[in-house]
Amino acid sequence: MITVFGSINLDLVVCLPRLPVPGETVVGPDHQTFAGGKGANQALAAARAGASVRMVGAVGRDAHSAPALANLDLAGVDLSAVRHLEGTTGLAMIGIDAEGENLIMCASGVNARVAADWLDGVLEPDDLLVLQRELSADPISGAIARARKVGVRVLLNAAPSGDAALAGLIGDVDVLVANAVEAAELAGAFGCHGAEGAEAHCAALCGNSRLAVVTLGGDGLVARTTERIWRVAAPRVEVLDTTGAGDALVGALAAALDRGVDISRALAEGTAAGALACTATGAQSSSPDAGAIAELAETLVVETAPVTR
């Protein structure tokens, strides 16, 4: 079972000819509404990739709560640990340009009141706990501590960037997933300011038996433990919208690791899911199913070698 502890939002998406600069208004022809939030996105992605998933988080008692949970419910995600609180459901406002790049603004709503003790009595020893940074450092820290007490493995996605307090939590994480910007930020927090490039950042962030994964968008990913390094090139796809691609990768990677496959296969499935998510719009509606992920993963070449010292 994968337990996802994180944010649940409703996304308001506007397609634009280009992204605005500060102080500028750019007009798009229409808008769409999608369920979102990095926690919910990753829970849905893992479920669509074939995993059994429970979601722990919160929605408000407002009109946004039902559509925010609809996809999770349809995918069979266990929502019994999602609390309905007085207040507003989290909201993300997303602009997407003609090349598929995005700009995102988030209002936390009741996500700001999610607490680590909601995991008490929920986590089980065979779980994989999946975390992201849309919650503040305190509930993330508490969640990791509870996972360690129960003996649960922890996958932490370092997105979105900007909270240096996270660096102190990495020592208790089994899998760390970060994009290039987030990896550089975290490596700097470890004093590796002169290190450049994904492989150098992986070297700074892996430790003990931890797997560090640095995602590189259209260039795939690089991953490393203290003993081994992996490189996966991204497949060529027609990019429509990059929103949710990172969450699709994390969810599929978590599903593969929860299933017990080897790291090479798990990285291939994560890369495939992230690429496929770029071919459709919406953070959740773009998340691919297990069959599509497996088919594309079979075509990917995973390079791996021992770490040389």
Side-chain angles (χ1 to χ4, degrees):
M1 172 73 78
I2 292 173
T3 296
V4 179
F5 179 71
S7 57
I8 303 169
N9 289 339
L10 196 67
D11 293 349
L12 180 63
V13 179
V14 180
C15 292
L16 302 168
R18 57 184 173 79
L19 299 179
V21 298
E24 181 186 24
T25 298
V26 178
V27 177
D30 203 352
H31 72 271
Q32 295 173 287
T33 302
F34 300 96
K38 295 196 74 64
N41 294 347
Q42 292 176 12
L44 182 72
R48 286 191 176 160
S52 296
V53 183
R54 70 169 64 90
M55 181 76 211
V56 181
V59 293
R61 296 186 185 276
D62 59 7
H64 296 326
S65 62
L69 295 174
N71 289 338
L72 297 177
D73 189 37
L74 187 63
V77 174
D78 181 350
L79 300 177
S80 60
V82 173
R83 302 195 183 193
H84 294 249
L85 305 179
E86 292 298 332
T88 59
T89 301
L91 183 68
M93 292 150 280
I94 303 171
I96 303 170
D97 70 13
E99 282 71 48
E101 291 301 321
N102 62 62
L103 182 152
I104 303 174
M105 298 174 291
C106 269
S108 295
V110 296
N111 288 313
R113 289 152 57 193
V114 173
D117 62 12
W118 296 4
L119 291 167
D120 294 344
V122 173
L123 290 176
E124 300 176 0
D126 290 336
D127 285 358
L128 172 63
L129 177 64
V130 175
L131 306 167
Q132 324 77 32
R133 290 169 72 173
E134 280 188 342
L135 301 182
S136 64
D138 283 347
I140 293 173
S141 175
I144 293 172
R146 283 165 169 78
R148 284 295 167 231
K149 185 175 181 179
V150 179
V152 169
R153 294 177 297 160
V154 177
L155 185 157
L156 174 63
N157 177 210
S161 63
D163 187 356
L166 185 68
L169 305 177
I170 291 174
D172 288 324
V173 167
D174 299 289
V175 182
L176 174 69
V177 182
N179 67 21
V181 173
E182 296 150 1
E185 177 185 82
L186 291 172
F190 281 103
C192 301
H193 299 287
E196 295 185 0
E199 294 190 11
H201 296 150
C202 268
L205 297 175
C206 71
N208 301 322
S209 58
R210 181 168 57 256
L211 173 67
V213 181
V214 178
T215 63
L216 304 170
D219 292 325
L221 62 78
V222 60
R224 177 171 166 155
T225 64
T226 54
E227 302 297 328
R228 198 159 195 87
I229 190 166
W230 293 262
R231 302 175 187 87
V232 188
R236 292 182 179 274
V237 296
E238 183 176 348
V239 176
L240 182 60
D241 176 13
T242 59
T243 306
D247 294 332
L249 184 152
V250 170
L253 174 65
L257 293 173
D258 186 59
R259 199 168 73 244
V261 305
D262 62 40
I263 291 174
S264 292
R265 177 66 186 190
L267 294 172
E269 292 189 13
T271 302
L276 289 167
C278 292
T279 66
T281 58
Q284 291 186 12
S285 54
S286 63
S287 192
D289 64 25
I293 293 169
E295 182 178 359
L296 184 55
E298 289 289 345
T299 70
L300 302 184
V301 176
V302 180
E303 297 179 355
T304 182
V307 171
T308 57
R309 293 179 171 82

